[in-house]
């Protein structure tokens, strides 16, 4: 990977990827663009710098020892001691007091190589500032011994083949009114919140919690946040959506007013989504305002809760389309993404795979919940000044697209909540993985080139 905003090719013909979101910065300097560097035939690797980089959290294919080569060319320092930082790998300091100017002076190529053992599937590099901001030009990671090819990034939940989240739609037909609906969507982005779609990384997303086999099952309480004045049917009788729920020890709900929580039991092949999930202040027991359970998860092609249960307005399982921390660490989103939009077709219209809607717009005038969208797959993304995170979203939108799952106050995508990881490690991953503020992570995204698929696209026949 390099600090360039687009892929580049070295002297051997090897393609180096553009700056990934998991470097933890969007600040790129191209002062050295076109410069020749002494001591290297690969000038292009040093012609861009990533400023204020936080590190590199990258997936590796196997437990093994990896050789990391870091490339530097300081384009600002004018004296020794002006920029100094440490490099840590897997929690251990491997380079102490790195001072590129002291090593080679300004504008010269400098390489640092070290080996690191990785056992958990992710190589973690961190930079520790000593003086001024760390910067890096390029990083390459190679195994010191042959390892198996990487497997596809795991999903939070595995649905049956042919499900709408993992089916590519880059060659799908378009709706007859695609241009009109897409223009209306672009207008929703343009006219609200500064013209940038939202990335819900710290609220209005869902905390994903996996229940290990044997987790004790509890009865989730009901709190009447919507003033229904009685306990709705189906929570404790009939299907019993709030009964026998394996809420794992240490589970957390997402931050924000929605307080959404997913509980996934792989052994039982069940998933629950809860809305406004919380611990009762008096009893300490879990309770929710609404939710639902889906059985036989891995065998379903339509990941939707029976109406009216669940936590999304469309009925879809929320975790199916959230952007995960591992998606960003692997530098690939290999699934469709949930999309909330402002104007949604009326409540009595929806598109497969949704089974309901909370829309208000007259039918035919707005996109339906459940309808699938994509970014024009012929679009050359290098023409757009996207953030690294925005580029990941755009690439996935060209291949897998978006599924409209909710009516919201702003057009936006959602990540998984960082609250569960913070509860385990003390650190929310999203400040680093977004490389900046969430509110402008999708700045420059070409919403005017979105395309709308026909209603019920992908619905099995018969």
């Amino acid at each position: 990977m390099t600090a360039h905003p687009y892929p580049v090719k070295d002297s051997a013909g090897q393609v180096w990827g553009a700056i990934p979101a998991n470097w933890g910065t969007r600040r790129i300097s191209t002062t050295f663009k076109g410069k020749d560097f002494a001591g290297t035939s690969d000038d292009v690797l040093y012609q861009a710098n990533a400023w204020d980089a936080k590190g590199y959290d990258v997936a590796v294919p196997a437990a093994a020892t990896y050789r990391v080569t870091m490339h530097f060319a300081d384009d600002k320092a004018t004296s020794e001691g002006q920029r100094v930082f440490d490099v840590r790998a897997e929690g251990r300091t491997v380079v102490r007091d790195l001072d590129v100017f002291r090593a080679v002076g300004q504008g010269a190529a400098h390489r640092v190589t070290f080996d690191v053992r990785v056992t958990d599937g992710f190589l973690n590099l961190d930079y520790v500032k000593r003086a001024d901001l760390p910067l890096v030009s390029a990083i390459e990671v190679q195994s010191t011994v042959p390892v198996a090819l990487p497997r596809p990034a795991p999903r939070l939940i595995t649905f049956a083949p042919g499900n709408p989240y993992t089916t590519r739609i880059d060659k799908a037909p378009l709706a007859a009114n695609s241009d009109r609906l897409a223009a209306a969507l672009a207008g929703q982005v343009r006219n609200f919140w500064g013209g940038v779609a939202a990335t819900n990384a710290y609220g209005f997303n869902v905390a994903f919690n996996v229940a290990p086999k044997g987790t004790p099952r509890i009865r989730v309480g009901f709190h009447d946040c919507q003033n229904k004045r009685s306990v709705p049917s189906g929570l404790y009788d009939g299907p019993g959506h709030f009964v026998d729920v394996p809420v794992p020890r240490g589970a957390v709900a997402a931050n924000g007013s929605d307080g959404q929580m997913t509980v996934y039991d792989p052994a039982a092949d069940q998933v629950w989504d809860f809305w406004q999930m919380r611990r009762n202040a008096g009893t300490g027991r879990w309770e929710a305002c609404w939710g639902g359970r889906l059985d036989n998860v891995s065998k379903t092609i339509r990941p939707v809760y029976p109406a009216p249960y669940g936590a999304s307005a469309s009925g879809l399982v929320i975790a199916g389309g959230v952007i995960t921390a591992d998606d960003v660490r692997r530098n690939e989103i290999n699934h469709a993404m949930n999309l909330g939009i402002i104007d949604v077709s009326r409540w009595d219209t929806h598109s497969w795979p949704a089974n309901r809607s909370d829309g208000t717009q007259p039918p035919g005038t707005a996109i339906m919940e459940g309808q699938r969208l994509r970014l024009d797959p012929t679009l050359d993304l290098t023409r757009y000044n996207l953030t690294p995170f925005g580029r990941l979203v755009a690439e996935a939108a060209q291949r897998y697209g978006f599924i409209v799952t909710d009516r919201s106050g702003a057009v936006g995508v959602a990540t998984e909540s960082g609250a569960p990881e913070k509860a385990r490690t003390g650190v929310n991953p999203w400040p680093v993985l977004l490389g900046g503020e969430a509110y402008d992570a999708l700045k420059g995204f070409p919403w005017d080139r979105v395309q709308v698929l026909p209603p019920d696209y992908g619905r099995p026949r018969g």
Side-chain angles (χ1 to χ4, degrees), residues 8 19 21 30 50 74 85 91 127 150 162 189 209 262 267 269 293 296 321 388 393 397 399 420-421 425:
V8 298
I19 181 172
T30 56
D74 199 320
F85 59 96
Y127 311 139
V189 176
N209 299 270
T262 294
D269 207 18
R293 184 191 72 247
N296 301 313
V393 172
R399 300 185 186 111
E421 184 167 327
T425 68

Side-chain angles (χ1 to χ4, degrees), residues 324-343:
T324 71
D326 282 359
D327 286 337
V328 182
R329 288 168 175 144
R330 293 177 185 274
N331 204 37
E332 180 185 29
I333 302 171
N334 60 357
H335 58 86
M337 298 159 288
N338 297 338
L339 188 70
I341 65 175
I342 298 171
D343 292 330

Side-chain angles (χ1 to χ4, degrees), residues 49-119:
N49 271 318
W51 287 82
D52 197 18
K54 306 298 188 301
Y56 191 24
D57 193 1
V58 62
V60 291
T65 297
Y66 291 85
R67 181 153 295 156
V68 180
T69 301
M70 304 184 69
H71 302 259
F72 305 93
D74 199 320
D75 57 357
K76 297 295 181 183
T78 57
S79 62
E80 293 184 18
Q82 192 171 342
R83 185 185 324 286
V84 183
F85 59 96
D86 297 346
V87 179
R88 292 170 58 83
E90 296 293 286
R92 178 175 62 90
T93 300
V94 291
V95 182
R96 192 178 301 277
D97 295 332
L98 175 62
D99 186 333
V100 175
F101 186 94
R102 182 171 58 206
V104 295
Q106 188 188 74
H110 182 55
R111 289 179 293 276
V112 172
T113 300
F114 52 87
D115 291 347
V116 58
R117 178 72 179 172
V118 181
T119 60

